[in-house]
Amino acid sequence: MPENSAPDPSPRTLSPVPLSAVRVAAYVVAVAAGGWFLLGELTVLFRPLLFAVLSTYTLMPVYLRLRKHLPTSAAVGVLSVAVTAVFAAVAVSVTASALTLSENESVWRKRAMERVREVSDWAHGFSVVGPVPPGQRPTEEVFAERVTSALVEQLRAVAIGLPEIFAGVLYLLFLLVESARFPERVRRGYAPERAADILTVFAQINTSIIAYLRAKVVSSLWLAVPVGVVLVVFGVPFALLWAALTFVCNFIPYLGSVVAYTLPMLFATVEFGFTPQLAVVAGAVFAVHLLGAAVVEPLILGRAVGLSPLVILASLSVWGILWGIPGMFLAVPLTVVLKIVFEHLPATRPVAQLLSDG
């Protein structure tokens, strides 16, 4: 065998990573860490602003139609009155529900204790209480108190967050006024080719977000209205509040439907007990949710999002950790915007492909 055909005994080494790639990775980590810190510290500023941006996308078609028949100031005025009325009605409903639940917290606690005892008796003598030491409260009493207190605190938190919502409405009005001036300002500030690229990116973002939000609003209404009708007909407490919660939670993929179904059913269980009426209400509401998830939402929403399910779950986790429930509400639209921006940058196009569904 020729000498030059002998295997090379020296170990093979990996080619070094280019310095530019290391530098880009360091920049990405630094920007991500700084952005996380700023978003957490400036929550009161950024969260209502982002809600206002999404609301602007939702109302933009209506605003453009009004501007065909009315001056800009009149169109903004009409939308201001309508949006303020809607948010005021929601605020009054949430506040009234929170006050009612707070005033009757002891009553709901007693009813919850009764339901826990019924479950214990039904389970063939199994008791969640066991022998109670002297001076210690029964377990079902502690459990019922914690559950009712948690629900009251959640409603109070929503009521306390209402000023932030009104701040978002204020941002919304200014965004509607500025939306008509934005393209001209971009053309004045950049070279023609650069301005065209920027406006193209914004046009695609606008198209995708408007399509997603419009479809989501319609599908959420198709879900929330029947749920509200069922709850009102059967006399479930705070039926209008649960219908509004169903509408909002439908914007949170996967987890929202669980919350929107569980909370009203807990109150229905406390109110009616384990009766045929509860079974009918639970079955009817579950059928509405199932019909919406299996038929209505795919028919209306289609592939408007264009994100991988794994990416959606990851975005829900990240934004949920950062901003809680409001962050989960914003997760999908913000990720769609990020994906569109990545598609227009040569260095990040592979990342956009990883985020896409397909």
Side-chain angles (χ1 to χ4, degrees), residues 83-251:
V83 171
T84 303
V86 171
F87 277 101
V90 173
V92 170
S93 175
V94 172
T95 305
S97 299
L99 291 175
T100 302
L101 189 56
S102 298
E103 293 173 356
N104 300 319
E105 183 177 352
S106 60
V107 177
W108 287 98
R109 188 181 304 162
K110 292 178 181 177
R111 291 181 180 178
M113 290 169 54
E114 293 174 0
R115 303 300 170 250
V116 173
R117 291 194 185 100
E118 290 176 6
V119 173
S120 299
D121 295 338
W122 173 80
H124 303 289
F126 172 75
S127 176
V128 299
V129 180
V132 181
Q136 183 175 341
R137 292 187 302 169
T139 304
E140 75 266 23
E141 182 179 342
V142 176
F143 173 77
E145 181 178 353
R146 290 180 178 178
V147 171
T148 52
S149 299
L151 293 175
V152 171
E153 289 301 322
Q154 290 298 320
L155 285 177
R156 286 175 181 168
V158 174
I160 293 173
L162 291 175
E164 183 177 318
I165 296 177
F166 282 106
V169 174
L170 185 62
Y171 284 131
L172 169 64
L173 302 181
F174 285 98
L175 287 172
L176 288 174
V177 174
E178 292 296 323
S179 61
R181 307 173 185 173
F182 178 75
E184 185 60 31
R185 290 181 177 177
V186 172
R187 294 188 183 97
R188 291 201 308 262
Y190 293 91
E193 296 81 5
R194 183 61 175 167
D197 292 339
I198 294 174
L199 292 177
T200 299
V201 173
F202 273 95
Q204 293 190 4
I205 292 175
N206 293 344
T207 301
S208 299
I209 297 300
I210 289 175
Y212 167 73
L213 290 178
R214 181 185 298 173
K216 203 66 178 176
V217 166
V218 174
S219 64
S220 298
L221 285 174
W222 276 98
L223 176 64
V225 172
V227 168
V229 170
V230 171
L231 297 179
V232 169
V233 168
F234 286 93
V236 177
F238 313 117
L240 296 180
L241 177 63
W242 304 133
L245 178 71
T246 301
F247 177 84
V248 173
C249 286
N250 195 51
F251 284 81

